Amino acid sequence: MTDPNTCFDGRRGRFDGYGVLITGAARGIGAATARRLTAEGARVLVTDLDEDAARATAKEIPGAEALRCDVADRAGIEAAVAHAVDLFGGLDVLVNNAFSCAPHTARVEDLGDESWHRDLDITLGGAFRCARAAMEHLAASGRGAIVNIGSVNAEQDFGNHAYSAAKAGLASLTRTLAGDAARRGVRVNQINPGTIRTRAWAGREKSLEALAASAYPLGRVGEPEDIAAAVAYLASRDAAWVTGTTLRVDGGLLAVNTSFAAAVDGER
């Protein structure tokens, strides 16, 4: 198995002088992204609803600061953006990573209104609120970028009605924001990860192994660092002519029907 960390050559400088705000950054993809961008010179504000975890993560990352932020709270988001601008002298990159995902229900009738509204409000509404609050500062930077963290659930049925609808909505918001922001020199893109080894899968190693073998052409599930590397590309000037796109980082999950191929091979 290839270690995703070996894909990063340790070079610095791509984000020298950049100020970055990441939501939902205490753990998983958000924390990995904070580590990656600071390793390339950025200063990062690690925000999360779990303030203690955010501070613990930021403490381990040179160039990172922490702040509690609830993306359901417009005033709290605006305060977080203002704090980042004060800390860094501006804001260059926003990474919308915070989300909510209610447990999957076997029948849609069992999904309550509260779960539906929460998933959409945090996952989709939160990204909108953050983009709205950050846009003028991103435009002022002259190199502003927003990277939204979506999901393969936005493109295919993997369960979780509300979460999937919110991620699909996020892809649409990415496109409309890109059109709005392009005139101000701000790029907006989305990443749709496949299965990523985060704490949501803690204690379920056998399930991850089964998924890697049966669903993923590249033979493994993703690591947070795989997504962080894609964020680093889309947030950087290397992607200066990329906006309004959704980049799949899914190990080939959506491109190759492995179960179909296995069934056909079994008949040969």
Side-chain angles (χ1 to χ4, degrees):
M1 178 186 298
T2 301
D3 181 353
N5 292 302
T6 64
C7 298
F8 176 44
D9 62 11
R11 64 192 171 113
R12 296 184 60 85
R14 191 158 56 159
F15 293 103
D16 281 353
Y18 276 60
V20 179
L21 189 156
I22 308 174
T23 66
R27 305 176 181 86
I29 291 170
T33 299
R35 289 191 293 269
R36 176 62 184 258
L37 298 187
T38 56
E40 295 194 48
R43 296 182 65 194
V44 174
L45 183 61
V46 173
T47 73
D48 202 282
L49 191 60
D50 186 339
E51 184 176 13
D52 290 341
R55 292 191 182 283
T57 295
K59 189 176 180 180
E60 298 173 352
I61 306 174
E65 303 282 346
L67 186 72
R68 182 186 185 278
C69 181
D70 179 358
V71 299
D73 176 21
R74 179 175 183 174
I77 290 169
E78 291 174 349
V81 169
H83 185 65
V85 171
D86 287 343
L87 277 175
F88 308 138
L91 186 64
D92 301 284
V93 176
L94 167 67
V95 181
N96 283 314
N97 178 63
F99 70 93
S100 172
C101 182
H104 176 68
T105 58
R107 304 186 310 165
V108 68
E109 300 97 308
D110 298 327
L111 179 64
D113 285 356
E114 182 179 350
S115 295
W116 173 266
H117 289 304
R118 177 172 175 76
D119 280 9
L120 266 70
D121 189 43
I122 299 299
T123 307
L124 178 56
F128 164 72
R129 293 183 196 100
C130 289
R132 179 176 59 189
M135 189 62 74
E136 65 175 301
H137 303 288
L138 296 171
S141 82
R143 56 191 180 190
I146 298 174
V147 182
N148 295 323
I149 306 301
S151 171
V152 292
N153 286 52
E155 301 184 64
Q156 190 170 309
D157 175 25
F158 295 102
N160 299 99
H161 301 289
Y163 171 80
S164 299
K167 291 297 191 181
L170 186 59
S172 179
L173 179 64
T174 296
R175 293 187 292 271
T176 58
L177 283 175
D180 176 279
R183 294 185 292 274
R184 290 180 272 177
V186 178
R187 298 177 301 103
V188 188
N189 293 289
Q190 178 159 319
I191 295 168
N192 280 358
T195 305
I196 305 299
R197 193 189 308 273
T198 64
R199 70 171 184 159
W201 291 92
R204 301 168 65 190
E205 287 300 319
K206 289 185 177 179
S207 294
L208 289 178
E209 291 174 7
L211 280 171
S214 64
Y216 285 92
L218 289 181
R220 67 174 176 89
V221 298
E223 303 292 341
E225 291 77 12
D226 291 311
I227 308 307
V231 174
Y233 164 66
L234 289 174
S236 77
R237 297 302 295 170
D238 288 344
W241 210 47
V242 180
T243 196
T245 195
T246 295
L247 173 63
R248 295 176 182 171
V249 184
D250 68 350
L253 175 67
L254 296 182
V256 182
N257 189 328
T258 53
S259 60
F260 177 85
V264 171
D265 286 344
E267 294 177 352
R268 291 172 179 166

